[in-house]
Amino acid sequence: MKLSYAVSLQKSGFDSIAKGDLDANAGLLADLGYEGIEISIRNPDIVDTAVLEKTLNKCNLELVAIGTGQMFVDDKLSLSSDDKSTREKCAARLKKHIDIAKIFGSYVIIGLARGTVDPGRAGLKNEAGKNLVESFKGVCEYAGKMEVAMAVEPINKKETCFLNTVQETFDFFKNFKTAPLNILLDTYHMNIEEADMAGAIRKSKEKIAHVHLADSNRLCPGRGTIDFNRVIKELKLVGYEGYLSAEIIPLPDFETCAREYISNIRRLV
Ligand code: LER
Ligand code: MN
């Protein structure tokens, strides 16, 4: 397993991510020995892919995955919105994320873009759920055509009412027959939603595209109560060979977290 770190390209209200200058952040990660970087892109329209490629090449970092959820957090765009034009804007942005992922061979993360934190609108059978399935179908079709794989992330119910567990996510996949859909496991969310984290990892076997590591308090692994030794043992047992990406609140600061993460996790893999 290789190590990566989630950073943000633009300003965002999402707090569990490194912010600031991409060149400086990527440079530090490379110096510390990270193999990859994960970048959250709120609005793909402003990304200059040639500049991005230069930065990544200079640092010899793989662009592992592209986060998309900031468009919900910051711009209120979501696939389950009551408003058709909001759903269409969200799907259009996701297709642009897919275009960028195509260039870099990255996964596109489907997380908070599902939208809604209103429990009254939860469930795939109600209006918001139907909107989610219908608008995601077009995105899946495009991803299939572009041969870009998506990583759908079960997220705790305080952040979205849709797909809180691995099982719900697999049930959701049944709506999209041939789409390139995989699972992104995030230990912070699993610790809240899964009765048995090891069981959730085993259930996701073969479908795990990407992994986010954060402790129970969303700080750097080692600062909370999750047993990362056990998590990584389970990931080894299911044959996972992808990236373990730090997606954590940058406290006390990004550099301390980046150093602490690589030192705590490298010895377990
Ligand atoms: C949201 O809490 C999260 O974990 C992100 O990876 C969502 O895109
Ligand atoms: Mn995550």
Side-chain angles (χ1 to χ4, degrees):
M1 283 174 257
K2 292 174 281 186
L3 302 190
S4 55
Y5 202 109
V7 307
S8 178
L9 204 60
Q10 285 153 287
K11 279 208 173 105
S12 174
F14 184 64
D15 63 355
S16 307
I17 197 149
K19 293 179 184 145
D21 181 64
L22 179 70
D23 273 44
N25 290 346
L28 176 72
L29 294 174
D31 287 347
L32 291 176
Y34 284 81
E35 290 102 340
I37 191 166
E38 173 182 327
I39 302 185
S40 264
I41 301 175
R42 171 177 167 184
N43 184 356
D45 279 340
I46 66 144
V47 178
D48 184 331
T49 51
V51 172
L52 182 56
E53 191 168 11
K54 234 178 171 178
T55 301
L56 295 171
N57 285 347
K58 191 174 74 192
C59 299
N60 198 22
L61 287 170
E62 190 175 350
L63 179 53
V64 185
I66 295 173
T68 62
Q70 289 181 357
M71 73 168 127
F72 176 59
V73 178
D74 301 303
D75 300 320
K76 300 288 162 262
L77 298 182
S78 89
L79 292 171
S80 64
S81 169
D82 288 332
D83 176 54
K84 189 163 180 269
S85 90
T86 303
R87 297 196 297 273
E88 285 171 356
K89 276 186 201 146
C90 179
R93 273 205 204 174
L94 286 172
K95 287 177 189 170
K96 290 180 184 166
H97 285 107
I98 290 169
D99 291 340
I100 299 176
K102 176 79 185 170
I103 298 172
F104 295 99
S106 322
Y107 289 111
V108 169
I109 298 173
I110 305 296
L112 294 170
R114 302 196 286 276
T116 199
V117 285
D118 173 5
R121 300 174 74 243
L124 295 177
K125 296 232 151 34
N126 71 17
E127 210 47 41
K130 284 182 198 156
N131 287 341
L132 168 62
V133 171
E134 280 319 303
S135 34
F136 194 46
K137 273 183 186 159
V139 177
C140 286
E141 208 173 289
Y142 188 70
K145 201 172 76 188
M146 294 293 283
E147 297 180 325
V148 167
M150 292 186 285
V152 182
E153 178 177 24
I155 288 178
N156 84 80
K157 62 174 88 60
K158 294 274 183 237
E159 294 180 49
T160 174
C161 293
F162 294 115
L163 319 184
N164 305 125
T165 64
V166 162
Q167 186 56 55
E168 284 166 20
T169 307
F170 275 120
D171 292 342
F172 176 69
F173 285 178
K174 291 178 193 150
N175 293 289
F176 315 96
K177 300 257 163 353
T178 58
L181 294 172
N182 306 277
I183 296 261
L184 190 172
L185 293 176
D186 182 324
T187 53
Y188 171 74
H189 299 305
M190 282 197 286
N191 185 55
I192 296 171
E193 297 290 346
E194 302 289 350
D196 169 17
M197 211 192 285
I201 293 172
R202 285 196 292 272
K203 195 180 279 178
S204 312
K205 195 186 156 113
E206 285 158 19
K207 276 286 179 188
I208 310 173
H210 189 46
V211 172
H212 285 161
L213 298 186
D215 218 321
S216 50
N217 42 18
R218 226 165 186 182
L219 296 175
C220 187
R223 289 182 176 241
T225 58
I226 294 176
D227 180 353
F228 284 95
N229 198 10
R230 174 114 199 270
V231 168
I232 286 162
K233 259 191 198 146
E234 283 300 335
L235 286 169
K236 281 184 190 164
L237 283 173
V238 299
Y240 179 68
E241 290 181 339
Y243 275 91
L244 303 170
S245 215
E247 188 189 51
I248 56 186
I249 301 170
L251 283 175
D253 57 75
F254 167 58
E255 181 167 347
T256 307
C257 290
R259 288 181 188 279
E260 199 169 302
Y261 182 81
I262 203 163
S263 129
N264 289 353
I265 301 302
R266 187 72 93 199
R267 63 194 156 81
L268 301 180
V269 302

